[in-house]
Structures are given as structure tokens and as C-alpha cells.
Amino acid sequence: MIFALFFCFCLTAVSSSLRTLDMRPDCIQEGLDNCKINNCSENLTVQQRRHAPIEPEWDLEQFGVWMDKHDEFVSVMNVTWIIKAGASIHALRGSEINILDLSTNQNMCVRYSYKLDEQQNPKRERWKFSVDGVVVEPRHTYNVTVFNFPEPEMRDTRIRKQITIPGCDDRRIQNSVICLQNGSLWDHNMTANVSVDKEHDMLSIVVSFQAAQYSERYQVSIQSPGFHYSKNVSKENRTSLNVTFEFGLCQLSQCELLIMIQPFFIRCKNDCWRPEMIFNHCLYCFPRTSIVNGAVGLLLTGSFLACLLWRACHKDPVRISLSADEEPPEGFQMQERKRVLIIYSLDHPLYKNIVLKLCAFLATKCGTEVVLDLLDSTRLGMLGSIQWLEWQREQIESSSDKILILCSRGVQAKWRAMCGDRRVFLREDIRSPVGDMLSPALSLMVPHFIRSASFEKYIVAYFDDVCSEEDVPTPFNITVRYKLMKHFEELFFRILDTAKYEPGRVNQIEGLSGNDYYHCPSGRALWDAIEAFHAYQQEHPQWFEDELLESSELEAEETSAEICDNAKTMINVVTHCVSDSTQMMPRQLKTQGSDFTGDKTGLNMAEKSQMCSTVEVNPLTAENMQSH
């Protein structure tokens, strides 16, 4: 393998240019004649095909950290390619590699000139060449092109690939200075200590945490629905920091508080990772105080109230049972049925299946009405995406219903595109009959989300087995982000407008926790869908990049989608409606177990095909559906 010094140049004049740290000036390999390293300024000639070498092939790339001339560790990439054995090797006069950073448009090029007399090196191995120590940025994507010269006429023998550098959570590069300046190794060790002033009904919370090397300033905040309080603190050469909050108990409507620390590292600045913890202050408060104080002078009444309060504080935890004795096995009835609009991104067919299975679980197990664009394509087509979304938002904001935003790679990418990054086209958006609904939803709902009056209407969540907290757009960092299905029970309490932790008791719902939601058929189907996509991601690390469309692919996909739409219009779907006292429901929709199954004229949502009916998913039992 050759380790070489090469000349590089950049298309844009910036201080952190694309460069290499490999300063060894030789390209000596045993058996290699007249090896020289040049820049790429001279034009290369082409030859007839029979006088030109064949294309090379890729070897594995590697990532790591090297120390630069300033004695700082930087993240680097090594790229290696192999010369194929064959008769054309005698026509080979060299190789050229080009590396382009798609984020900054910086480019570097190196050209090796050499001659090979043998098809293998003296070690009886194929010839290998490499560019080592290329300084790269975490999460940047690079286009790498390699070709042998002279190139043949009328044939492209260049090999190309995209290499995406892992993020700072990857152990191979998290010690690089750029990751340290982003807080990659920050161990915050956050704790919260509480004291209660019963006489004045005041609550004092002291938040303690460890300061980081590259962040001088922090913002510590405490949040709950309708309540937000924050303080700024500077490090000032301290290694640990304490921030004290004091407020009246009457200011808090719920027991759970979200405590969050926002650091300001020198690289990520206002968009750094923010550790958080959920804290239950009711465990430290005794609600009898305000009642006893209010009953002073009324001895008999006060004694009666104290007795009632004592009994309430010593009750067993309230449990909402989903057993077959009380309710059907696939769901339970609520006094007021809640309605949820789901906003999501069509990242991949397997991710779409997860969303559909979640809808089935919410409908059949939880008794919730689910509003989904794929299930309302007829009305959506008549109104248009913005009008449909605005209508749904107005319906929800005038009621106690909720909007659930499922964050994923596509959500983050489209949010960044709205903020000025390159526009994103996903393959599933083109195939979907409703198109890209996420971008208009974000542009319409984010301004309403950040208003305190609308804040509690929105619930932010992500499937942590197939997504991460980094997929949550910046505006949503001010609220609780639920991990599904680990925090599904807490999320469902938000839908019900009920606190899980209340003074003197803990509310629970059997069958909805992360450890047992999959024991029912609809939960099992959701679990299988999550596992299937997780396995696919493990086998295809570049799955999201594969779903992104270039302009040429976009045109081809649109043409294919148009052909499919024309074919669908030839199908006459007859919908039989059955009336009851409250609504009209299509006969072909049936909820049983975890799947939504259509009749012979409908479509199967459990599979990859789309549904084209105007419905909202309701928790109808199989018995009711079969009676029609």
C-alpha cells in the first residue's frame, strides 16, 4: 500500500480546507516502477478501448483520529482501492482520486503516475493504493471517485461511492477536537435536590451538574404544561455548578417536571445536545397542608377533611385494568374518546408500516380515534394539503384532542431544508398518493406550537429503536420527547390529559408499558414492525441516503407514480356505509387484532399498499363489523 504526500486544492477559500495529514513523501512499493505523485492540473489523454486499462475496485474505508501539527486529535478517513489483475494492467499508467465534501463543496484531488510490470506485487497480492489521513467532519458526506488512466473512449470506467462520516457518538472519532468542542464526552452527572417550605407553600429545587471543558455558559430550565422557568449560569473556572429554583406550589398543575440543561459549546453553539430528566415533585409534598390551613377555626369540618385526606394518601395505586372481565380484549372504553392527529415522515416503506401499526394499536388497544393523511386521501385531495391540515388543526385546538409528531431522520432532514439546507426528496413521498405532507405540516404548526396557549396540544415522540433524539428538530427541544414504546404509557396519559403521578397515588394502565404492550395482537404487530425496520437498518447503514432522490430519479419516480395513479382510477371501489347514531363508517374497514383489513374491493393496510378511503381509524370491535 502506498502512503503518500499529495497536493490538494479547494474550490472554496475557507480556513478548514479538505486536506491530508499523511506527510510521508515516498510512494515506494517493491516492484513499482517510477512512482510519482502529481496534482490534477494537467489534462489526461484517452485511448482506444483495447489500449486502456479496466476500472479499479474498492477496498474498505476506515475512520479514526490522528494528531495534527498543532498536537490536536482530528477525525480522519482512509480510502483504499485495488488494481484488478488482467492483461490490461500493462496499459496502466496511473490512478487518480477525487474527494468532494457535499456540505461545503470543498474538493481535493491526487494523481499517482506509475507503471506495473506484474499483475501482483512481490507478496503475491493484488496492488493496492490509498489516500490516508484525510481530515473530515463528523456527519458530512463525501463523494469519492477513482479511475485508472489512460481512460478508454466511449466508456466510463470510473468508480464512485458516497461515504458518510459517523457522528460524534461513534467511539472511533469522539476523541477528536471537533467532537470534544461539540460536547461528545461531556458527563453532566445531573441531579436534583428538593426542599419544601410547608408554611409558605414554597418549593425549592437545586439542580447540580458537572461543567464541560468547551462550554462556558449553560441555561438550566424547568418545564411543565403551562409553566416554564429558566436561569443562565457561567462556569467561571468551576468544575461543578448548582442552580436553585424557588416557586410556589400553586404554580404547578402537574407532578412531573422536565429539567433540562442547555450547554453552549463552541462548535454547536445554540444547537447542542441537551441532557434532561423527568422529576416528580409530588413525592416530596404533602397535600394536607393547604387543606388543614383552610380549615382553621372549623374543628369538626377540619377533622373530617383530614380523615378523608389520610384515607386518600394511603390508597393503593389506581390501576386502569384492560382485562377481559371489564372490557373487550383489544381495547377499553373511555368516558370521552380522544382524537389524535399523527404527523410523520414517509422515510421508508418499513417505517410507514410502523406508523400504520401504531395507528392500529392506538385504535384497537387504546380506544383512540386516529387521524392519518393516508386514510383520508379523498378529502385531502379535494381540500389540498394546507387546507386539510389547517382544518384538522382547528378541530383539535378547539377541543381536548392532541397532535402527535413522530420524529425521524426524514423529519429532521426536511426541517433543515426549511431552514436553508438542500431540499430533500424521499422515494416514499413520490409514491404516496398524498405526497409530502410533513413539510406543509411543519410550516403550519411550528408557529402554533411555540405559543404557550397551544403548547400542550402537541406531543413529540420518536421510536428509539429505529430513530434517535438527534432526529428531533430544534423547536421541539423545549418540550418532553417521548421514547416509543418505552414511554408510551406516559404519552397516553398526555392524550388523556391525566397525570401519571398525582398526590397520594400513581396511575397505571396495564398492557401499555414498554415491557408488555406486545402481549396483545395489535401490540405484537407493532413490535414486529419495529424489529423488522431495526434489522433492515443494521443490514443497510446507508438506508436513508438510499431513499433520497436526485433530480433524474425524481423524474423517473414521478412518471412511475403517475402511471400507477392512472391505473388506480380504472378501479371502481364501491363503498357500503352502515349508519349508526353517531357516524357513518365504511363497511370494508375492519379492525381485528392489530391489522386493518379491507374487503375484496379495499386494500390491506398491513401490507405495503395504500388505502384510498375517507375514514378516521376508530376502535370498532370485530363483532360489530361482522354484524353488518
Side-chain angles (χ1 to χ4, degrees), residues 225 253-257 278-283 316-320 482 485-510 512-516:
S253 61
Q254 295 191 12
C255 290
E256 288 188 348
L257 299 175
I278 296 178
F279 184 78
N280 181 13
H281 73 87
C282 291
L283 299 177
D316 292 333
V318 177
R319 305 182 68 89
I320 303 174
Y482 295 95
M485 296 292 289
K486 181 180 179 181
H487 297 153
F488 181 82
E489 186 181 32
E490 288 82 353
L491 181 147
F492 190 59
F493 276 117
R494 278 286 305 277
I495 295 176
L496 298 178
D497 286 323
T498 303
K500 181 175 181 179
Y501 299 98
E502 295 180 346
R505 64 180 183 181
V506 179
N507 295 324
Q508 294 179 339
I509 303 178
E510 295 179 355
L512 295 189
S513 70
N515 295 326
D516 57 6

Side-chain angles (χ1 to χ4, degrees), residues 68-85:
D68 64 5
K69 62 182 179 181
H70 303 295
D71 294 331
E72 293 182 336
F73 286 107
V74 295
S75 51
V76 297
M77 169 180 66
N78 300 340
V79 181
T80 306
W81 66 96
I82 302 172
I83 305 300
K84 293 181 180 179

Side-chain angles (χ1 to χ4, degrees), residues 543-572:
W543 68 270
F544 186 72
E545 288 75 12
D546 295 339
E547 291 299 306
L548 298 177
L549 295 177
E550 300 295 338
S551 298
S552 59
E553 294 179 295
L554 183 62
E555 294 176 1
E557 289 286 346
E558 287 177 341
T559 302
S560 176
E562 183 179 356
I563 294 173
C564 292
D565 290 341
N566 291 338
K568 288 178 181 178
T569 61
M570 301 301 294
I571 302 174
N572 182 20

Side-chain angles (χ1 to χ4, degrees), residues 143-203:
N143 270 348
V144 184
T145 304
V146 175
F147 64 91
N148 293 330
F149 60 83
E151 292 186 277
E153 296 178 332
M154 307 300 292
R155 183 186 174 193
D156 184 9
T157 58
R158 302 189 176 198
I159 58 174
R160 303 171 178 86
K161 68 176 175 179
Q162 282 192 350
I163 300 177
T164 299
I165 309 304
C168 289
D169 53 346
D170 191 290
R171 289 183 295 177
R172 293 172 292 180
I173 64 172
Q174 65 181 4
N175 288 311
S176 64
V177 65
I178 187 173
C179 288
L180 293 176
Q181 292 174 350
N182 276 311
S184 64
L185 296 181
W186 179 35
D187 184 8
H188 54 83
N189 194 24
M190 176 170 48
T191 59
N193 296 306
V194 177
S195 61
V196 180
D197 184 352
K198 301 178 182 178
E199 182 178 356
H200 300 93
D201 282 341
M202 294 294 294
L203 183 69

Side-chain angles (χ1 to χ4, degrees), residues 324-378:
D325 294 335
E326 296 181 0
E327 301 294 343
E330 280 301 308
F332 65 98
Q333 299 294 326
M334 296 177 290
Q335 292 181 352
E336 179 185 0
R337 179 178 297 167
K338 296 296 182 177
R339 188 167 175 262
V340 178
L341 169 63
I342 296 184
I343 304 298
Y344 65 102
S345 172
L346 285 169
D347 289 9
H348 190 275
L350 292 176
Y351 182 73
K352 179 178 69 175
N353 193 39
I354 293 176
V355 175
L356 296 177
K357 297 301 183 185
L358 175 65
C359 294
F361 184 72
L362 282 167
T364 59
K365 184 68 175 177
C366 305
T368 306
E369 292 186 13
V370 180
V371 180
L372 195 71
D373 51 15
L374 288 176
L375 304 181
D376 204 1
S377 57
T378 302

Side-chain angles (χ1 to χ4, degrees), residues 6-10 18 37-41 95-100 107-111 131 145 147:
F6 56 85
F7 175 81
C8 66
F9 66 91
C10 298
L18 193 60
I37 299 174
N38 306 306
N39 59 41
C40 305
S41 58
S95 302
E96 181 175 305
I97 179 172
N98 290 274
I99 302 177
L100 173 65
N107 180 64
M108 62 177 290
C109 176
V110 61
R111 183 179 296 167
V131 174
T145 304
F147 64 91

